[in-house]
Amino acid sequence: AQKITQTQPGMFVQEKEAVTLDCTYDTSDQSYGLFWYKQPSSGEMIFLIYQGSYDEQNATEGRYSLNFQKARKSANLVISASQLGDSAMYFCAMREGGGRAGKSTFGDGTTLTVKP
Amino acid sequence: SQTIHQWPATLVQPVGSPLSLECTVEGTSNPNLYWYRQAAGRGLQLLFYSVGIGQISSEVPQNLSASRPQDRQFILSSKKLLLSDSGFYLCAWSRGLAGVNEQFFGPGTRLTVL
């Protein structure tokens, strides 16, 4: 069965510094996708970044990058130059590659607080 | 562009009352649709997903049910709410052809059962 583990319930970072949010996963599938979502206090889930299991390069989207280490089954999110607006809960998720539905498994999240 | 709507935004219901939450998607056709529940401070738990009209798959046993009467409409229902049904309910859609596409979430419904 798929499982996502986020070991950091809460993280603090100083504004303008970089922060890494950890995510490890477990799956027997060869094809899968890894995602990071941001959930501000308003509750909406905002898609940040995606990494495919066959992608050889780490994904990047603006200030977000995904440190993908397939052998270690880790998919850490790196946020560079943190901003106050980055304070939110962050979820790592994995979706099966096979089948049409592509159901996602989510971790329990990490609450990030950016300090001014 | 695609948009996803959910209503109501918040709901307070007594135990034993019925429930109907609605989700609609605009700007795409034949989407995969999902209902998730999020307990306070926790991750998302997949409740139901649908790959087409009338096709519903349940992920966890519960007193909730889902229906998809139209291609872009997904409804979450209950005949009698329990206290444990309280939570934040999120509807999501994804493109139907490949499993690795990202999901897009609606704004959510915060349900409190008293």
Side-chain angles (χ1 to χ4, degrees):
Chain A
Q2 293 181 321
K3 186 177 180 182
I4 295 284
T5 303
Q6 294 181 254
T7 58
Q8 306 153 314
M11 288 282 288
F12 292 89
V13 64
Q14 206 67 37
E15 192 178 9
K16 299 181 184 178
E17 292 185 350
V19 63
T20 298
L21 306 184
D22 294 341
C23 172
T24 57
Y25 61 92
D26 189 19
T27 181
S28 56
D29 289 344
Q30 295 302 310
S31 177
Y32 50 89
L34 295 158
F35 303 83
W36 277 92
Y37 290 87
K38 173 184 178 182
Q39 187 178 41
S41 56
S42 59
E44 60 185 313
M45 292 286 283
I46 303 167
F47 165 72
L48 296 177
I49 196 167
Y50 160 78
Q51 179 86 41
S53 58
Y54 293 118
D55 294 341
E56 294 185 352
Q57 289 192 332
N58 287 343
T60 59
E61 288 286 348
R63 295 186 297 110
Y64 304 107
S65 60
L66 200 151
N67 184 1
F68 181 46
Q69 298 186 46
K70 194 170 183 178
R72 294 185 177 183
K73 293 189 175 180
S74 74
N76 299 339
L77 176 70
V78 180
I79 305 175
S80 62
S82 297
Q83 303 172 357
L84 295 177
D86 293 334
S87 293
M89 199 154 183
Y90 289 80
F91 291 96
C92 180
M94 176 172 59
R95 297 187 67 194
E96 300 168 330
R100 207 177 147 218
K103 299 169 287 180
S104 287
T105 301
F106 283 76
D108 283 340
T110 296
T111 300
L112 176 66
T113 303
V114 180
K115 295 180 175 180
Chain B
S1 63
Q2 300 88 11
T3 55
I4 178 168
H5 305 278
Q6 280 185 251
W7 63 91
T10 59
L11 192 59
V12 180
Q13 291 283 97
V15 168
S17 63
L19 173 75
S20 180
L21 303 181
E22 190 163 343
C23 170
T24 58
V25 181
E26 295 177 358
T28 188
S29 59
N30 198 25
N32 289 343
L33 296 172
Y34 309 83
W35 278 111
Y36 287 89
R37 177 169 60 203
Q38 184 180 25
R42 300 298 302 275
L44 275 65
Q45 178 188 36
L46 180 63
L47 301 176
F48 301 94
Y49 69 92
S50 171
V51 299
I53 296 174
Q55 301 178 60
I56 308 295
S57 296
S58 174
E59 286 296 291
V60 293
Q62 57 212 322
N63 72 321
L64 299 170
S65 62
S67 61
R68 186 169 176 174
Q70 300 180 44
D71 182 46
R72 289 168 288 178
Q73 184 184 29
F74 205 23
I75 297 172
L76 183 69
S77 305
S78 173
K79 292 181 179 178
K80 289 185 178 181
L81 283 168
L82 306 172
L83 287 174
S84 58
D85 292 325
S86 293
F88 190 53
Y89 289 82
L90 286 156
C91 179
W93 76 273
S94 68
R95 292 181 177 85
L97 294 180
V100 295
N101 287 320
E102 68 266 31
Q103 291 173 313
F104 300 93
F105 286 83
T109 295
R110 200 165 300 278
L111 172 66
T112 303
V113 182
L114 301 175

